[in-house]
Amino acid sequence: MEEKILILDFGGQYNLLIARRIRELHVYAEIRPYNKITLDEIQKGGYQGIVFTGGPNSVYDSDAPRFDSGILNIGIPVLGICYGAQLMAYMAGGEVSSAEGSSEYGKTTVYTFGDALFENVPTESVCWMSHTDFIKTPPPHFVITANTDNCPCAALCDPKRKLYGVQFHPEVTHTTYGKTMLHNFLFSICGCSGTWNMEDFAAASIARYRDALAGKKVLLALSGGVDSSVAALLLHRAIGQNLTCVFVDHGLLRKNEGDFVEQTFRDQFGLHLIRINAQDRFLQKLAGVTEPEKKRKIIGEEFIRVFEEEAKKLGKIHVLAQGTIYPDVVESGRGDAAVIKSHHNVGGLPDVISFDEITEPLRNLFKDEVREIGTQLGLPRELVWRQPFPGPGLAVRIIGEITREKLTLLQDADAIFREEIAGAGLEDITSQYFAVLTDLKSVGVMGDARTYGYTVALRAVTTDDFMTAEWTRLPYEVLERASSRITNEIPHITRVVYDITSKPPATVEWE
């Protein structure tokens, strides 16, 4: 039986990182909303361990998310993180109170007293705190195993029942020995052996979809990005010619990208690909629209309308396939998590579509896992490691109204920036880089003449999961060459700026 860990989601911001860290240790982790799985399902689910995630609530509020208290007595090890630790303590009979001015945020020194969770962890190390409440009194049979200068109970456990809780976040890289703690929980406490890997996932997915989609016609939204490309090849291996890939060229792609997508998938991989040139249609729908979420909704709905029309030409189409991945889901609002922005292949879908079902073969994967599968399936490196690109395309990189003129300006500026990054050999030091056409115009000087043109913002970030990201410290000379070329080669652009905001507080994209 496959080893797996259940992650009960209480709406915290780092929930997907917990799953990712566990998978990095070759144990499969699946996230379920706290109120979407029963105690009986948990007992029959074959889980080696359970993780309670963080969350934004206070456990003592009447409407706070709760779990079935029976979970603590079924013999499955539990690790509670932040809110999850407080909730476990509270429901086991302990006391949780407001920190009243002594709450902790950010890097904090933690002192551990030693137990199975902290094996090979120094007695003093750095952890990442984010809490306004704290465990004031541990429940019966629990002992405190760590503290900080301001938090008397930074960790606790009931070793007999294998119940563990930490007030800090071991899943974030700022917790120096967080990976060691998770390793101890998985292997020493839960008894996992670490046999899960992406190769097994790919093989199992192909076999599963071969059975689940047998005899069904499937329509895939293929953009040529990493996610939809891997989803296309995965499904192609499973159902062959029953998969039709529809590439909607909405005119919001990067320079020359439409031709590249068509040549790669039709000529190189032999997929059944239909290219639809719909630039006029999308631009008409977007005319006069400036609000980012409205842009996303319009593009998402128009995508589905195009698919429906194509499906009618092809005959009965049973399934719509999409390249949705985990970060798309969490940023569109998952469980009790806050909605940051809608993605066209999640929150932007209309309520009613004319397909029997939607399948998302990559929905539970992170970007690095998707790339690994793509490599295993034989996708060339230049495709597997292509720049991430939003479903709505350049619509969310043009601030304000979208026009043909703005599209051309941005396509040219973005192409120059990417050429300079490639020319300097910097593709591997930055995870994503692109240009944004702002709605700001400013005065410039060309020769002896006064000009008045747009401002372009350049953006480059470094990340391993796209849940958090640091702005990339690109060499000044590269930025200088890009700026010089953009302002000299592209009319109506008079100023170039560089975005040095990390995520959080910003998102990677501007809209």
Side-chain angles (χ1 to χ4, degrees):
M1 179 181 294
E2 179 185 71
E3 294 180 339
K4 56 183 177 178
I5 298 294
L6 170 65
I7 300 174
L8 279 189
D9 183 352
F10 291 99
Q13 61 179 319
Y14 298 126
N15 297 347
L16 297 181
L17 282 181
I18 299 172
R20 186 175 181 279
R21 300 306 181 212
I22 292 174
R23 292 181 191 182
E24 286 175 349
L25 295 168
H26 301 293
V27 177
Y28 182 71
E30 92 181 10
I31 298 177
R32 298 286 296 273
Y34 72 94
N35 56 355
K36 300 296 184 181
I37 186 169
T38 66
L39 179 62
D40 184 60
E41 289 174 324
I42 292 174
Q43 288 179 292
K44 295 177 179 178
Y47 298 106
Q48 274 62 49
I50 301 171
V51 176
F52 297 158
T53 75
N57 302 86
S58 291
V59 300
Y60 43 76
D61 290 342
S62 59
D63 59 348
R66 307 280 171 83
F67 58 82
D68 189 321
S69 60
I71 292 177
L72 303 180
N73 298 304
I74 58 177
I76 301 177
V78 177
L79 173 62
I81 296 175
C82 197
Y83 176 86
Q86 296 170 4
L87 185 60
M88 180 169 62
Y90 182 79
M91 295 188 68
E95 183 181 3
V96 177
S97 300
S98 171
E100 297 180 354
S102 58
S103 56
E104 296 172 308
Y105 293 95
K107 293 181 180 181
T108 306
T109 300
V110 62
Y111 309 97
T112 59
F113 310 148
D115 66 11
L117 190 66
F118 299 126
E119 184 179 355
N120 297 320
V121 175
T123 56
E124 180 178 333
S125 63
V126 173
C127 70
W128 184 260
M129 284 285 194
S130 179
H131 70 100
T132 55
D133 294 336
F134 76 105
I135 299 169
K136 184 176 182 180
T137 306
H141 310 298
F142 279 77
V143 295
I144 296 175
T145 57
N147 64 14
T148 70
D149 292 337
N150 293 319
C151 184
C153 180
L156 75 170
C157 77
D158 177 348
K160 184 175 182 181
R161 289 189 290 174
K162 295 186 177 181
L163 305 178
Y164 297 81
V166 292
Q167 182 60 68
F168 51 86
H169 290 273
E171 70 275 20
V172 302
T173 55
H174 300 301
T175 298
T176 310
Y177 288 88
K179 188 172 184 178
T180 301
M181 298 172 197
L182 291 175
H183 184 281
N184 290 338
F185 178 70
L186 296 174
F187 297 94
S188 299
I189 297 170
C190 297
C192 295
S193 55
T195 57
W196 183 79
N197 57 60
M198 294 310 299
E199 187 172 334
D200 291 342
F201 181 91
S205 295
I206 292 171
R208 181 170 68 254
Y209 287 112
R210 183 177 292 125
D211 293 337
L213 301 177
K216 297 180 180 180
K217 298 293 184 180
V218 180
L219 191 63
L220 172 71
L222 178 62
S223 70
V226 178
D227 305 331
S228 65
S229 298
V230 174
L233 195 51
L234 190 74
L235 291 175
H236 181 68
R237 295 282 173 84
I239 61 174
Q241 292 305 305
N242 279 339
L243 171 68
T244 297
C245 295
V246 173
F247 168 43
V248 178
D249 187 349
H250 48 28
L252 302 167
L253 300 172
R254 289 168 288 202
K255 193 172 183 177
N256 300 324
E257 191 163 36
D259 293 341
F260 172 77
V261 170
E262 183 175 11
Q263 293 166 4
T264 299
F265 287 94
R266 178 177 291 153
D267 300 341
Q268 184 173 349
F269 293 105
L271 274 69
H272 182 205
L273 173 68
I274 298 173
R275 178 177 179 178
I276 301 173
N277 294 306
Q279 178 174 340
D280 292 343
R281 176 172 176 168
F282 277 84
L283 286 178
Q284 289 171 7
K285 289 284 185 178
L286 291 166
V289 177
T290 59
E291 203 277 317
E293 278 295 283
K294 190 173 182 180
K295 291 180 186 177
R296 292 176 181 272
K297 298 290 185 182
I298 289 172
I299 293 170
E301 183 164 350
E302 203 61 22
F303 258 97
I304 298 303
R305 298 286 80 84
V306 171
F307 292 149
E308 287 178 325
E309 293 170 10
E310 196 59 39
K312 291 177 182 178
K313 300 176 186 177
L314 297 170
K316 176 61 178 177
I317 296 291
H318 305 91
V319 182
L320 172 67
Q322 297 185 134
T324 309
I325 65 172
Y326 250 8
D328 298 338
V329 176
V330 73
E331 289 194 338
S332 296
R334 190 179 198 283
D336 292 337
V339 176
I340 300 172
K341 61 186 177 183
S342 295
H343 288 257
H344 88 276
N345 49 346
V346 186
L349 289 175
D351 295 331
V352 179
I353 59 176
S354 61
F355 304 97
D356 297 339
E357 59 184 288
I358 295 176
T359 186
E360 297 168 321
L362 309 178
R363 185 181 179 88
N364 294 326
L365 299 182
F366 295 95
K367 181 71 72 173
D368 59 320
E369 295 173 324
V370 173
R371 294 189 196 279
E372 186 176 342
I373 288 180
T375 300
Q376 292 172 5
L377 294 176
L379 286 172
R381 190 181 190 281
E382 58 268 28
L383 184 57
V384 171
W385 290 97
R386 288 190 70 204
Q387 282 285 292
F389 194 63
L394 299 182
V396 295
R397 293 179 182 174
I398 297 175
I399 310 303
E401 183 180 6
I402 300 167
T403 65
R404 292 183 189 275
E405 178 197 17
K406 287 183 176 180
L407 269 174
T408 300
L409 292 177
L410 181 55
Q411 286 172 334
D412 289 343
D414 183 74
I416 288 173
F417 186 39
R418 288 187 287 120
E419 286 170 9
E420 291 302 326
I421 293 287
L426 299 176
E427 299 103 320
D428 291 338
I429 74 161
T430 179
S431 306
Q432 187 173 359
Y433 47 94
F434 54 89
V436 174
L437 184 67
T438 75
D439 207 24
L440 174 67
K441 285 190 173 183
S442 62
V443 176
V445 178
M446 291 289 183
D448 295 324
R450 177 184 181 276
T451 60
Y452 191 66
Y454 287 102
T455 299
V456 162
L458 304 181
R459 177 78 158 143
V461 298
T462 302
T463 178
D464 60 357
D465 52 32
F466 284 89
M467 299 301 295
T468 61
E470 292 286 335
W471 65 275
T472 306
R473 277 66 172 171
L474 292 177
Y476 289 155
E477 56 269 23
V478 174
L479 293 172
E480 182 180 21
R481 283 197 301 270
S483 175
S484 178
R485 286 190 59 195
I486 289 171
T487 53
N488 280 283
E489 296 178 23
I490 307 175
H492 310 302
I493 295 179
T494 57
R495 194 175 299 270
V496 176
V497 299
Y498 188 52
D499 183 351
I500 60 169
T501 317
S502 294
K503 175 186 179 181
T507 55
V508 175
E509 299 289 344
W510 274 39
E511 289 192 345

